[in-house]
Amino acid sequence: MRAAVLFPGQGSQYEGMADPWTTHESGAAVFSRLSESWGRDLVELCRDAGALATTELVQPALFACDLAAFRVLEAEGARFEAAAGHSLGEFVALVASGVLGDVDAFRIVVTRGRAMQEASDDTPSGMTAVIGLSPADAADICRVAGRGDVLEVANENAAKQVVLSGSIPAIERAEEAARSNGAKAIRLKVAGAFHSPLMRRAQEPVREALSRATFHSPTMALVPNVSGRVTRESSALRDLLSRHIVSPVRWERSMRALAGIGIDTFVEAGPGDVLSKLVRRNVPGITAVPVGSPADAVAIAHDEGRGGSEPAMSRERA
């Protein structure tokens, strides 16, 4: 089994999402360390539905939950050859691969969440998921429906699933155009137009936070969102991350890139199973397993450790 670990981003959160991981020593240690570095109780934060609805607070909360899931997997003996994370999740992938320390990465995420919240407060904007159109068709809609407003393809999640990001008037026009072309358009519950030029004012604070962090060579293959290509070097990562919040998340390309280097099993570490479902759409026939509790982590590590051809739960939950 050649496995990659995947980390979900904003949108996967749910109230109480930290609780399963606090029952394991390695998961509890993550929340303790990060809470101490921030001066705020992350476990309690994860139980606050109101806090989880804000960009500023949900990003640190999700980072902690994703990292706790990974540390439990690691402690139970699971080993990975590659890592990737969707949007916010990329920062956890950098920790998992040894590029960033956990506190360094967490501090960047705290800055990122606050800066993105402030940028969102500046301009009424949002995001909409379009199901049934290719990224190229969605880009055509952006060109027509933009009409001078910001409207961009923000997430290339799958062949027929993209997310558009932009000003509210442009988003409304794009939704109407998508539906007239037989596609579904679903407005996302987010504060603003992430991964679009409307996040430019958030770039400088994030760039400054990145400049203070120490980057190391990765211990496994990485696929940055901005490029969607496998890398085993850290030299370009700081620049890619500085462009991260104004550039599209090339997730479909990322999953195909990992499959292209022989990855045959994807383990989603963190809340929900969104990424596991996207793996199934992007690379049919590949095993995808969401890990939402220490019990799941034990099952995955046990199967991997004995050389099993397919992890437990994958058929039911992918």
Side-chain angles (χ1 to χ4, degrees):
M1 188 167 68
R2 299 188 64 188
V5 60
L6 307 179
F7 299 101
Q10 199 166 337
S12 293
Q13 69 270 15
Y14 65 88
E15 192 175 347
M17 63 183 176
D19 291 343
W21 303 109
T22 61
T23 65
H24 191 286
E25 181 180 3
S26 295
V30 169
F31 290 107
S32 176
R33 178 169 167 77
L34 297 184
S35 294
E36 182 179 357
S37 75
W38 196 23
R40 183 162 190 161
D41 189 328
L42 280 157
V43 175
E44 287 302 316
L45 176 63
C46 288
R47 295 172 181 153
D48 184 340
L52 295 180
T54 68
T55 297
E56 180 174 0
L57 298 178
V58 73
Q59 291 195 16
L62 273 167
F63 176 94
C65 290
D66 286 5
L67 183 58
F70 175 74
R71 292 303 186 205
V72 172
L73 280 161
E74 190 178 49
E76 293 298 333
R79 295 294 179 262
F80 302 98
E81 294 186 32
H86 193 285
S87 191
L88 165 73
E90 182 164 316
F91 289 90
V92 192
L94 292 168
V95 176
S97 64
V99 172
L100 289 174
D102 54 359
V103 173
D104 262 0
F106 182 71
R107 287 173 178 161
I108 295 168
V109 166
V110 169
T111 298
R112 181 183 189 266
R114 182 171 58 249
M116 290 174 71
Q117 181 72 60
E118 291 171 354
S120 299
D121 292 343
D122 273 356
T123 305
S125 58
M127 304 177 78
T128 189
V130 177
I131 301 170
L133 293 181
S134 69
D137 289 338
D140 287 340
I141 284 179
C142 288
R143 281 190 286 272
V144 174
R147 297 181 193 171
D149 291 327
V150 172
L151 185 63
E152 304 278 346
V153 175
N155 299 348
E156 299 171 359
N157 285 334
K160 294 289 185 178
Q161 182 177 329
V162 300
V163 176
L164 306 184
S165 189
S167 67
I168 295 299
I171 287 288
E172 291 172 347
R173 292 193 295 268
E175 289 172 337
E176 182 179 351
R179 291 173 184 134
S180 69
N181 281 278
K184 294 181 180 179
I186 304 168
R187 190 74 60 91
L188 302 184
K189 295 180 179 179
V190 294
F194 304 157
H195 299 287
S196 85
L198 290 176
M199 288 291 111
R200 279 205 181 103
R201 71 158 283 180
Q203 270 191 291
E204 190 54 36
V206 172
R207 189 177 286 116
E208 289 180 7
L210 287 166
S211 72
R212 294 191 293 269
T214 301
F215 281 66
H216 304 278
S217 297
T219 58
M220 62 180 82
L222 283 169
V223 185
N225 289 175
V226 173
S227 69
R229 294 192 293 267
V230 175
T231 182
R232 299 178 187 274
E233 299 179 358
S234 62
S235 56
L237 289 174
R238 201 187 302 263
D239 175 62
L240 289 172
L241 289 169
S242 72
R243 295 188 277 132
H244 190 248
I245 55 177
V246 297
S247 302
V249 174
R250 305 189 189 281
W251 193 251
E252 179 190 11
R253 187 183 304 180
S254 299
M255 295 303 95
R256 293 187 182 279
L258 287 172
I261 63 168
I263 297 299
D264 58 20
T265 302
F266 292 86
V267 176
E268 181 176 2
D273 61 356
V274 170
L275 300 186
S276 297
K277 291 176 178 176
L278 288 177
V279 166
R280 197 162 116 183
R281 289 190 181 192
N282 289 322
V283 278
I286 295 249
T287 298
V289 191
V291 174
S293 70
D296 290 349
V298 169
I300 294 300
H302 175 70
D303 272 14
E304 185 179 63
R306 64 183 180 157
S309 61
E310 185 171 338
M313 306 172 294
S314 60
R315 293 188 182 90
E316 297 80 22
R317 303 185 64 189

